[in-house]
Amino acid sequence: MKVVRVTEDVHKRLANLGKIGDTYNDVIERLLNEYEEYMDIVEAEEEIEKGLIKSYSNLDDFKEDIKNDVPFEQDK
């Protein structure tokens, strides 16, 4: 176990995010998981913008690429 010092404001904000029975560790872990998931989405969007991966707006286009053996990713 480690001790983490936080301001009174941060302490209150963490408490407000908690559910009954949650520890501060539970709240912080949930926040970190959400942050990491968000960063994965941001990274994927950046790869799409750079043309490194392709996105599909409908399932038919995806099925057509599969049928035509179009690769999922371009070589970097």
Side-chain angles (χ1 to χ4, degrees), residues 5-20:
R5 295 182 67 158
V6 296
T7 63
E8 187 66 32
D9 180 57
V10 169
H11 183 270
K12 287 178 186 176
R13 291 170 66 195
L14 287 170
N16 287 333
L17 292 174
K19 300 172 185 168
I20 293 175

Side-chain angles (χ1 to χ4, degrees), residues 54-75:
K54 185 174 181 179
S55 65
Y56 296 91
S57 58
N58 66 62
L59 188 56
D60 291 333
D61 289 344
F62 177 71
K63 288 178 180 178
E64 189 67 24
D65 278 0
I66 294 295
K67 187 172 98 177
N68 295 322
D69 202 25
V70 174
F72 286 112
E73 294 185 18
Q74 298 174 357
D75 292 333

Side-chain angles (χ1 to χ4, degrees), residues 29-72:
E29 184 173 22
R30 198 163 42 247
L31 289 170
L32 289 171
N33 290 342
E34 289 292 325
Y35 172 77
E36 289 168 352
E37 190 174 313
Y38 170 77
M39 291 308 296
D40 287 344
I41 292 168
V42 168
E43 184 178 313
E45 288 175 349
E46 289 173 353
E47 289 178 348
I48 290 168
E49 287 175 9
K50 292 177 183 174
L52 299 175
I53 58 176
K54 185 174 181 179
S55 65
Y56 296 91
S57 58
N58 66 62
L59 188 56
D60 291 333
D61 289 344
F62 177 71
K63 288 178 180 178
E64 189 67 24
D65 278 0
I66 294 295
K67 187 172 98 177
N68 295 322
D69 202 25
V70 174
F72 286 112

